[in-house]
Structures are given as C-alpha cells and as structure tokens.
Amino acid sequence: MGPAVDEGEKKAEVASVGMEALKLDDQKPTAIENPPAQARNEEFEEAIEKDERFVEEIESLCMNCHENGTTRLLLTKIPFFREVVLMSFYCPFCYLQNSEIQPAGVIQERGSRFVFQLTCMEDFSRQIVKSDTCTARFEELDIEIVPGRGRLTNVEGLLSTILSDLEAEQDSRKTASPELWTKIETLLTEGKKMLEGSKFPVTIALDDTAGNSSIEPSPHDKPGKWSKIEYKRSPKQNAALGLAPTDEGVSVQMKPQITGENEESLEDVDIVPDEVYSFPGVCSGCTKPCATKMKKVDIPHFKEVIIMSTVCDYCGYRSNEVKTGGEVPTLGRRITLKCKDEEDLKRDILKSESCAFSCPELELTIQPGTMGGRFTTVEGLLTQVRDDLRSQIFDIDDTEQSGGDSLPATKKAMWDQFFGNLDKAIQGEIPFTVVMEDPLASSYVQNLCTPDPDPQITIEDYERTDDEKEHLGLNDIKVEGYEDDAGSKNDKVPGETPALEGNKENLTGDVAA
C-alpha cells in the first residue's frame, strides 16, 4: 500500500501544481500570441492611442538549446528620458532568461555626456538608462563598460553587476595570473566599500554618441553633483552609428564668403562687426554639407562676441550659439543679480559656454557647457531651462504631465513644486537671485544704470581653482620661453628626414599616453 499511497499523493501534487500554473497564467499581462500581422499592428496602434501598456509576444529561437522560446516586447515611457522598448526572452526548455532595453526614438542630433557624483547612500538609487552605444565609467575604480547591451537599472545595480562579473572568474585567475588576481581583488574590495557606503565620493560618467542615455537628475542636486554636456559627433563617431553620407559621387564645394550685397571671398578679408559671413560645415544630424553663418556683435560696455547659426537644408537641423573671444583674463568673475520685478527679467544676459548658472531660491543649477553659449534675456534663459528640463521629466506629448507610469508620486510632487516656483519666477511673481560664475570672465548682465553702478548687480573677481584651470587647459599653456622650444623642435637630427621626425614625435606621444 505504500507505493500506491505515494503514487496518489504524487498525482495530487502534480494536479495542484498545474492549477497554480493556470492561475499564474491568468495573472500575466495581456499579450497577443502570434496573431496575424494586420491584427497585431491594429491592436498595437490602438493601445498606443489609448496610452496603454502593450505587451507583444514573439516566438523566437533560443541560442542556448536551439529550441523555440518566447520574446516579449513592451513600449513604455521612462521618466527623465523618453520612449524605450523593453525586451525579455525566456526559454521553457533550458530556462535561459535574458532582458534588454533599446531606444524607441531616433538618434539624437548631438552626443551626450553625463557626470554624476555620489555623496550618500540615497544616490545609489538614481535611475540609469544605458543604451547599446553608451560607455559607462566609474572614475575612482578606473573601470569602464564598453558599448554593448542596453540596460535600465540604477547606480547600485550597475556597480553590483560589474563586481559580480569580475568576481566570477577570480578562482581561475588566481592560478593562471596571480598578478591580475591581486589587482582585481583590490578593485573588488574598493567597490564593495562603495556599495556599503564607507567610501565617498563616487563618480560615474556616461558617454553616449547617440545621445540616448541618461542619469536621473534631482532639483536638490548641489552645484557640481550632476552635469550634462552635449557635443558634436566626429565623422568617425557618425560612421559608427551608420550616419555617414551614403551618396557616392556627390561632392559639394563650398567656399567661405560674405552674404549680402557685396559678396566676396573671405580670404584676405578682416572680420568686421555687423557683417554676416558664411563658411562650410557638416550637419551634426545627417553629416551632410551645410552652411554656418557667423556675425560679430559688439555688446556695449562689455566686449565683442560671435553669434553663429547653422541650418541644414537636408534634415532641417537648426542650432545657434554665442562664442566669446579675446585674451584669457587673469581672474575669473562672479556676477550676482537680484531680480525683483518684471523689468529685471528683461535685462540682456550673456551666458558663455564656460559659465555656471544658478538660482539658490529656485534650487536651480546649470553646470558649465550644459547649454552652450546663450545671448538672451533673463526671462528667455529661464524659459529655455524650464522647457529643456520639463521635456526630460515629462514627455513632450504628455498633456497630463504624469511623467509615465514609473514616476513615483513623491518625485512627481517634488518636480511639480520645482516647476511651479520656476513659473512664478518667469512671470515675475517672486524675487530670486541669479549667480553667474565664469572662470574666463566672458559672461555679462545688462546694467540699467549705466554709466553708474547698478545697485542690484554685484561683480567680484576670484582666483580660479585648480580643477577649473585643468578643465580649461590653462595648466598646459606656456607663455614664456616657447620660442626656444619651438626652435629646438625645428632643429634637424643628422640622418633623419622631416617625415621620420614627425613619426618619432608620434611614437613618443603614444608611449607617454
């Protein structure tokens, strides 16, 4: 009777497990299991219009056991970012699981670089979107993750994944390469101290040539904690993204010229104020030839600046920027403006590319290089900052500004308060202070009491920090004795040709690097 009882219990157990599996299947998200293509597209479009989450299931081959598994796709919105596609694969035969994230939008017009400095344990929960074209790096550990599989995680998850991957092969390294094992063991120890919160600060940097990666910001971030810099891609980076020009045999020859009534070549012509010049360039959006227009403008009681504008006739890309010139001043400059009414919002303001902009009452901080150079009004600058930030927190087409289904209510309330104060400041309903700190002293705020000092503007010069000098490249500038160095480099070594001398310098540079 023993075996009979065991067999009956086994059958009952199998039946119970089967019922539980059916219950779990009933709890799964709504999915379409291989419907006709037309019906699948119609239901997908209907779900998008209703702003509902739509999970599509596709039968696909498992690369581990070569049986058929299931791939699930979900199009969703990520707060502080944009639309992405979440992909998950599961094989019921070998139980292989895999997940990945891909951007659902297009390649951005510029590449982006994020730098975030962790100073407390709460910072490890910051959300990270790492696309398949992004390079992630932890500066203190000198660890770099090359472009590969896209990930949606946080700082703690990314660092934990790196440490677990390195630790997995430590036993084999201890025998095969003891020196490498010792170095990685030291690195693992330092990384675990960071995760435990016993070693701060921790700096993480994301560099994405496609501009589809991000690190979650916070309105409470102090200056220097979170920064974003957009940059133009090089031709090599465009080629890696598949953006290289594909039109063979098409060559557009563009010569620098002056536009207007008297068009002539820019060769042997001095650049004069209020004259529009045009010179050839390459569109950073489609990499095709386009023209960049330039104009020199004299700002009263300040200096001359260059206003540049680029318009691409192929893809419609537009950009404008302000460049300041002249000699590098001895000291940096800090300008403080107290805005009290609507008249102060109409003041002209020049924010150079090297300037840090902040409003303490509004908890607003803009790092150098984030927005490039801008020549506008105080109101115009705050409006642009508000629109750029809002497009990151809330989707552009999100009329309810819900921030997506994954934005917590506490963070939404925090951002609503931040944007509410910013809107009041733009409308002139609350007073606030503008602080512009420029190590190159190339920023400007209009003085309404010229030629007398403006009581609402405070200007003070300061000594640049070592970090600012290093960032601007001032530590490498040699202003004395460079003529002798140039003469010694031009001295020929007997038996060497000029080409060989150039190769020798390149080899020396590579070894030093």
Side-chain angles (χ1 to χ4, degrees):
M1 293 181 63
V5 173
D6 292 342
E7 184 177 357
E9 291 179 354
K10 183 175 182 181
K11 290 181 179 179
E13 183 179 356
V14 171
S16 176
V17 172
M19 293 300 296
E20 292 296 331
L22 290 176
K23 292 180 181 179
L24 290 176
D25 288 339
D26 294 338
Q27 297 175 0
K28 291 180 181 179
T30 303
I32 299 178
E33 297 182 357
N34 299 328
Q38 183 177 1
R40 190 164 63 239
N41 292 335
E42 290 177 356
E43 294 195 23
F44 181 80
E45 293 176 359
E46 183 179 355
I48 294 299
E49 291 178 359
K50 294 181 180 180
D51 196 20
E52 296 179 351
R53 289 194 296 173
F54 181 88
V55 179
E56 183 175 7
E57 290 188 355
I58 302 175
E59 186 177 357
S60 54
L61 179 66
C62 175
M63 302 307 296
N64 186 37
C65 65
H66 302 288
E67 297 289 345
N68 286 335
T70 303
T71 297
R72 292 187 175 186
L73 303 177
L74 172 64
L75 177 64
T76 184
K77 299 175 183 177
I78 297 180
F80 322 109
F81 197 50
R82 55 179 65 91
E83 292 182 346
V84 297
V85 177
L86 299 179
M87 297 179 288
S88 175
F89 175 80
Y90 174 72
C91 178
F93 297 94
C94 66
Y95 306 105
L96 175 66
Q97 295 182 357
N98 187 17
S99 60
E100 191 173 346
I101 181 174
Q102 292 288 345
V106 298
I107 297 176
Q108 304 305 309
E109 296 173 347
R110 291 171 175 254
S112 59
R113 174 177 170 81
F114 291 84
V115 179
F116 178 59
Q117 191 174 69
L118 292 80
T119 57
C120 59
M121 290 298 296
E122 288 76 9
D123 293 337
F124 278 102
S125 61
R126 293 290 185 99
Q127 181 177 270
I128 289 181
V129 178
K130 180 187 176 297
S131 71
D132 55 353
T133 58
C134 174
T135 300
R137 179 179 176 83
F138 286 91
E139 300 293 348
E140 287 78 9
L141 297 178
D142 197 16
I143 297 179
E144 186 173 288
I145 307 175
V146 297
R149 184 168 60 91
R151 296 180 181 179
L152 173 60
T153 179
N154 54 22
V155 180
E156 181 181 3
L158 186 61
L159 181 56
S160 299
T161 302
I162 296 174
L163 298 180
S164 61
D165 291 344
L166 290 174
E167 194 173 10
E169 303 293 333
Q170 275 297 84
D171 294 338
S172 58
R173 293 193 193 101
K174 189 173 184 179
T175 305
S177 180
E179 295 181 359
L180 181 60
W181 177 87
T182 304
K183 292 181 180 179
I184 295 181
E185 196 67 22
T186 303
L187 187 146
L188 292 173
T189 303
E190 295 295 323
K192 292 177 180 178
K193 288 182 180 179
M194 293 179 178
L195 292 175
E196 294 171 357
S198 59
K199 186 175 182 180
F200 285 110
V202 179
T203 305
I204 179 175
L206 298 183
D207 193 341
D208 190 355
T209 55
N212 287 325
S213 299
S214 71
I215 299 179
E216 178 186 349
S218 173
H220 303 306
D221 288 341
K222 296 181 179 180
K225 186 178 181 67
W226 183 95
S227 65
K228 175 186 177 183
I229 298 177
E230 295 183 346
Y231 59 88
K232 291 184 178 180
R233 289 184 290 265
S234 65
K236 186 177 180 180
Q237 291 172 333
N238 283 324
L241 295 174
L243 297 177
T246 57
D247 299 333
E248 297 182 358
V250 179
S251 177
V252 181
Q253 297 292 335
M254 302 176 64
K255 295 183 178 180
Q257 60 182 6
I258 304 176
T259 60
E261 298 180 356
N262 300 324
E263 294 189 359
E264 55 180 308
S265 174
L266 276 178
E267 298 179 359
D268 302 329
V269 174
D270 294 332
I271 299 178
V272 296
D274 299 328
E275 193 75 43
V276 180
Y277 299 87
S278 178
F279 56 90
V282 177
C283 175
S284 59
C286 65
T287 71
K288 292 187 178 181
C290 64
T292 297
K293 294 184 178 181
M294 177 183 70
K295 181 179 181 181
K296 181 186 289 187
V297 178
D298 186 9
I299 299 179
H301 310 287
F302 186 55
K303 62 169 68 174
E304 291 180 342
V305 299
I306 303 294
I307 299 178
M308 306 178 69
S309 175
T310 302
V311 178
C312 179
D313 297 331
Y314 293 94
C315 66
Y317 169 75
R318 295 171 177 267
S319 69
N320 58 82
E321 197 167 352
V322 178
K323 299 286 187 180
T324 57
E327 63 181 5
V328 178
T330 306
L331 301 173
R333 177 162 294 180
R334 185 182 298 106
I335 303 176
T336 303
L337 169 65
K338 295 182 179 180
C339 295
K340 299 180 179 180
D341 50 30
E342 295 182 357
E343 290 298 325
D344 294 326
L345 295 174
K346 299 178 182 179
R347 293 176 184 256
D348 291 335
I349 185 172
L350 171 63
K351 176 196 169 297
S352 70
E353 190 173 1
S354 59
C355 175
F357 180 93
S358 63
C359 298
E361 295 85 355
L362 305 178
E363 295 184 321
L364 173 64
T365 302
I366 303 175
Q367 298 299 320
T370 301
M371 298 177 58
R374 290 290 183 270
F375 182 42
T376 177
T377 61
V378 176
E379 179 183 1
L381 186 60
L382 291 179
T383 302
Q384 184 176 2
V385 172
R386 179 198 61 188
D387 295 342
D388 291 346
L389 275 177
R390 183 169 287 169
S391 64
Q392 293 185 34
I393 309 305
F394 306 115
D395 189 79
I396 297 177
D397 298 328
D398 189 0
T399 55
E400 298 180 358
Q401 295 184 359
S402 60
D405 53 13
S406 60
L407 183 63
T410 55
K411 290 188 177 181
K412 183 180 183 301
M414 179 182 63
W415 283 109
D416 287 340
Q417 181 181 1
F418 172 80
F419 286 119
N421 293 334
L422 194 55
D423 290 336
K424 292 180 181 179
I426 293 175
Q427 296 171 4
E429 298 178 1
I430 58 174
F432 61 94
T433 305
V434 172
V435 181
M436 302 174 63
E437 191 168 313
D438 193 344
L440 294 180
S442 299
S443 298
Y444 160 82
V445 175
Q446 182 182 8
N447 185 348
L448 300 181
C449 302
T450 303
D452 298 328
D454 194 320
Q456 296 180 222
I457 298 179
T458 303
I459 300 177
E460 53 182 331
D461 296 334
Y462 69 93
E463 290 282 348
R464 284 184 285 263
T465 63
D466 294 336
D467 291 340
E468 289 176 339
K469 293 179 181 178
E470 183 66 25
H471 179 72
L472 297 172
L474 300 179
N475 292 332
D476 300 328
I477 295 179
K478 188 174 183 180
V479 296
E480 297 179 357
Y482 55 87
E483 299 91 346
D484 299 335
D485 294 342
S488 61
K489 288 184 179 180
N490 293 330
D491 293 339
K492 294 184 178 181
V493 178
E496 290 186 348
T497 62
L500 185 58
E501 291 178 1
N503 293 335
K504 182 177 179 181
E505 292 178 1
N506 291 337
L507 288 173
T508 304
D510 292 342
V511 172

